[in-house]
């Protein structure tokens, strides 16, 4: 099965304009942009046939071409990364059997998250979309709760059924738990990792659906699939001791840089 990774990137983010071009300094003191670090993470994934950046911005295109990435220019009217992935796949001839949306704000995404995701979608022929979920330890859960208390948008959480079908995704911390957890304790909360694998039919249908109330309220693009009755498979992945965080706000930059230095990422 031919696999394409698309990294959607736009400059005009309401929460963090210019985010893809924000420099992040690694363990050896080298500063690389967020989009370059995301591209490098994509290229580390095994079994991928092609990696492209999909953008509507010439500044991002120029930066990406400067470090050797292939770029597909897409419409500024794309409402989210999934729409941008659908347009990029069309522009490339619709020739891939699985399209992975590796969002450009998560450069610490381990390669095995994506590899496990693709394997999970291949094994479950009833799912048109798959996405990874990672069980939170106490430290991660407490970080999410602290973000929400401070009014920051932190990570997204997911709940799913026994067959791993997604039931809901939220920027609130769900499910509610009244307990407190030590940093190294296992919790019942799952962090939704912002990566998607699509079958071509599901991806092609997405832009034709109207944005529903849940997607609009939460600002989570995957809810459009659920609001239109399309099943999402949640694939549980393992951290293997690896730290993981998304760059959602300017305050996340030093946190990400600290994690990169701890992991020895250049």
């Amino acid at each position: 099965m031919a696999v394409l990774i698309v990294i959607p990137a736009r400059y005009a983010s309401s929460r963090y304009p210019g985010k893809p071009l924000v420099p992040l300094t690694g363990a050896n003191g080298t500063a690389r942009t967020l989009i370059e670090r995301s591209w490098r993470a994509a290229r580390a994934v095994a079994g991928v046939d092609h990696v492209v950046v999909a953008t509507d911005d010439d500044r991002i295109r120029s930066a990406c071409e400067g470090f050797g990435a292939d770029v597909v220019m897409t419409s500024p009217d794309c409402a989210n990364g999934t729409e941008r992935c659908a347009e990029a796949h069309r522009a490339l001839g619709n020739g891939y059997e699985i399209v992975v949306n590796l969002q450009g704000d998560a450069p610490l995404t381990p390669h095995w998250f994506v590899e496990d995701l693709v394997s999970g979608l291949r094994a479950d022929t009833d799912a048109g979309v798959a996405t990874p979920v990672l069980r939170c330890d106490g430290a991660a859960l407490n970080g999410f709760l602290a973000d929400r208390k401070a009014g920051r948008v932190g990570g997204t959480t997911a709940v799913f059924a026994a067959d791993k079908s997604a039931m809901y995704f939220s920027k609130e911390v769900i499910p509610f738990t009244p307990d407190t957890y030590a940093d190294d304790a296992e919790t019942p909360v799952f962090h939704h990792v912002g990566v998607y694998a699509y079958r071509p039919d599901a991806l092609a249908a997405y832009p034709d659906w109207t944005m529903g109330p849940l997607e609009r309220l939460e600002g989570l693009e995957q809810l459009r699939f659920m609001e239109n009755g399309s099943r999402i498979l949640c694939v549980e992945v393992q951290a293997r001791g690896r730290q993981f965080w998304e760059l959602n706000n300017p305050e996340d930059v030093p946190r990400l840089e600290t994690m990169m230095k701890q992991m020895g990422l250049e």
Side-chain angles (χ1 to χ4, degrees), residues 1 98 115-127 130 199 231 233 235:
M1 280 182 143
I98 291 180
E115 293 158 5
D116 290 351
L117 180 64
V118 170
S119 295
L121 185 59
R122 282 176 171 159
D124 191 329
T125 57
D126 291 333
R199 297 192 192 278
R231 178 170 171 258
L233 173 70
V235 177

Side-chain angles (χ1 to χ4, degrees), residues 71-92:
V71 180
V72 176
M73 295 303 291
T74 51
S75 169
D77 296 329
C78 291
N80 55 44
T82 299
E83 290 191 9
R84 206 169 297 282
C85 286
E87 187 172 327
H89 189 224
R90 272 199 315 275
L92 293 170

Side-chain angles (χ1 to χ4, degrees), residues 23-220:
L24 296 170
T25 301
N28 65 350
T30 300
R32 304 184 195 277
T33 60
L34 175 64
I35 190 64
E36 180 176 357
R37 292 193 177 279
S38 299
W39 175 77
R40 286 171 174 263
R43 285 172 57 84
V45 178
V48 172
D49 298 276
H50 196 188
V51 176
V52 299
V53 175
T55 187
D56 60 1
D57 190 275
D58 285 333
R59 290 163 291 189
I60 295 173
R61 176 192 56 76
S62 179
C64 290
E65 290 176 347
F67 57 75
D70 290 336
V71 180
V72 176
M73 295 303 291
T74 51
S75 169
D77 296 329
C78 291
N80 55 44
T82 299
E83 290 191 9
R84 206 169 297 282
C85 286
E87 187 172 327
H89 189 224
R90 272 199 315 275
L92 293 170
N94 291 315
Y96 292 88
E97 295 176 274
I98 291 180
V99 179
V100 175
N101 174 351
L102 182 62
Q103 297 190 40
D105 59 5
L108 301 187
T109 304
H111 62 86
W112 63 87
F113 280 19
V114 184
E115 293 158 5
D116 290 351
L117 180 64
V118 170
S119 295
L121 185 59
R122 282 176 171 159
D124 191 329
T125 57
D126 291 333
V129 185
T131 195
V133 292
L134 176 66
R135 187 184 290 274
C136 290
D137 61 16
L141 174 57
N142 293 333
F144 288 170
L145 292 171
D147 279 339
R148 297 307 298 130
K149 185 175 182 180
R152 295 187 296 266
V153 177
T156 297
T157 56
V159 292
F160 47 87
D163 68 352
K164 304 299 183 182
S165 296
M167 298 174 69
Y168 198 61
F169 299 89
S170 182
K171 289 178 179 175
E172 292 293 346
V173 180
I174 57 174
F176 168 75
T177 171
D179 299 326
T180 56
Y181 298 89
D183 282 354
D184 60 352
E186 187 176 272
T187 80
V189 176
F190 282 84
H191 178 195
H192 171 238
V193 181
V195 185
Y196 305 93
Y198 316 102
R199 297 192 192 278
D201 289 350
L203 182 60
Y206 183 91
D208 294 332
W209 291 328
T210 303
M211 183 185 296
L214 297 178
E215 180 188 359
R216 188 174 293 107
L217 285 168
E218 293 271 10
L220 296 175

